[in-house]
């Protein structure tokens, strides 16, 4: 487990407004991407995200963390990259503040940020126990795949993954999302496919 937090600052050093999306990505291990909204959980202008994987380290010394601030109109307002050092590993976290530019640095075209979340249920309609493996794939844009564990970061039986790429869209209307669930013994448990709508794309996410 590794937590990244910080404050979004305006160019004059004042605390940035709430409601801005902050995307934190381990560029050395790209499947680890998390998003938070400033002021959502950590106080005015602040963000906090947690990387967690029960099977493998989420960060290692020398990894590069990239923190990007994006407004509701998909403008990239600020970005910073920092390396993980041994002291960060020992502390299980790192603080990274981001200072915004006076103007947007670029416009993100398409949907370069998309979050998928949901709950895995048993046949009786109750959430499954933690530890089920959830694989989420955008079958229309391979190899966009994220793997997580139910209950790892989002509550019992819940999963959440984030696709993020500045170079090209990660989701568009008409794309087909495939979800495959394995139980704790590694046996197939459930599968589901869902076609993304334009409304999903505009909302930057969908619950499946």
């Amino acid at each position: 487990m590794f937590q990244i937090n910080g404050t979004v600052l305006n160019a004059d050093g004042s605390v940035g407004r709430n409601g801005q999306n902050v995307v934190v990505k381990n560029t050395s291990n790209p499947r680890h991407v998390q998003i938070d909204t400033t002021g959502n959980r950590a106080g005015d202008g602040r963000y906090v995200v947690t990387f967690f994987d029960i099977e493998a380290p989420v960060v290692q010394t020398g990894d590069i963390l990239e923190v990007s601030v994006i407004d509701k109109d998909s403008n990239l307002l600020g970005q910073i990259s920092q390396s993980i050092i041994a002291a960060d590993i020992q502390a299980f976290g790192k603080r990274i503040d981001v200072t915004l530019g006076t103007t947007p640095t670029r416009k993100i075209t398409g949907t370069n940020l998309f979050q998928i979340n949901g709950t895995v249920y048993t046949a009786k309609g109750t959430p499954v126990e933690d530890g089920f493996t959830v694989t989420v794939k955008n079958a229309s844009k391979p190899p966009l795949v994220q793997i997580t564990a139910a209950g790892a970061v989002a509550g019992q039986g819940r999963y959440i993954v984030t696709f993020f790429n500045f170079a090209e869209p990660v989701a568009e209307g008409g794309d087909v999302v495939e979800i495959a669930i394995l139980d704790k013994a590694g046996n197939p448990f459930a599968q589901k496919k869902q076609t993304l709508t334009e409304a999903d794309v505009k909302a930057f996410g969908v619950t499946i």
Side-chain angles (χ1 to χ4, degrees):
M1 183 175 70
F2 194 84
Q3 187 177 91
I4 303 99
N5 68 86
T7 302
V8 175
L9 302 170
N10 296 316
D12 62 3
S14 60
V15 175
R17 64 178 176 81
N18 294 331
Q20 299 180 97
N21 290 324
V22 180
V23 180
V24 183
K25 178 180 180 180
N26 183 349
T27 62
S28 304
N29 191 349
R31 76 185 184 91
H32 290 299
V33 181
Q34 293 285 343
I35 181 173
D36 190 24
T37 303
T38 53
N40 181 35
R41 295 181 296 170
D44 287 345
R46 291 187 56 78
Y47 73 91
V48 58
V49 302
T50 302
F51 291 142
F52 180 77
D53 191 323
I54 60 175
E55 297 181 348
V58 292
V59 295
Q60 300 183 69
T61 302
D63 282 1
I64 305 297
L65 295 179
E66 180 183 81
V67 182
S68 307
V69 182
I70 304 169
D71 68 12
K72 62 182 178 61
D73 296 317
S74 297
N75 292 309
L76 174 62
L77 303 181
Q79 187 177 74
I80 188 172
S81 296
Q82 290 191 10
S83 298
I84 295 293
I85 62 175
D88 300 327
I89 300 294
Q90 294 172 358
F92 297 100
K94 187 177 184 70
R95 175 170 178 161
I96 304 178
D97 295 337
V98 187
T99 299
L100 306 181
T102 55
T103 58
T105 57
R106 69 170 132 158
K107 179 81 171 182
I108 299 176
T109 59
T111 305
N112 299 65
L113 170 69
F114 198 77
Q115 189 173 88
I116 302 169
N117 69 86
T119 303
V120 182
Y121 292 101
T122 67
K124 296 181 179 180
T126 57
V128 300
E129 58 184 314
D130 294 345
F132 278 48
T133 300
V134 183
T135 299
V136 183
K137 178 172 69 174
N138 184 342
S140 303
K141 289 179 171 51
L144 292 178
V145 179
Q146 293 275 352
I147 301 175
T148 187
V153 295
Q156 183 177 351
R158 289 190 56 78
Y159 71 89
I160 184 169
V161 301
T162 303
F163 293 119
F164 179 68
N165 189 334
F166 271 132
E168 58 188 23
V170 296
E172 297 178 280
D175 283 0
V176 176
V177 173
E178 297 180 354
I179 299 177
I181 316 291
L182 301 179
D183 64 20
K184 296 176 71 173
N187 301 311
F189 179 78
Q191 293 185 359
K192 186 173 184 178
K193 293 183 180 181
Q194 184 164 314
T195 301
L196 299 181
T197 67
E198 292 296 335
D200 298 330
V201 173
K202 290 180 180 179
F204 299 101
V206 65
T207 298
I208 301 177

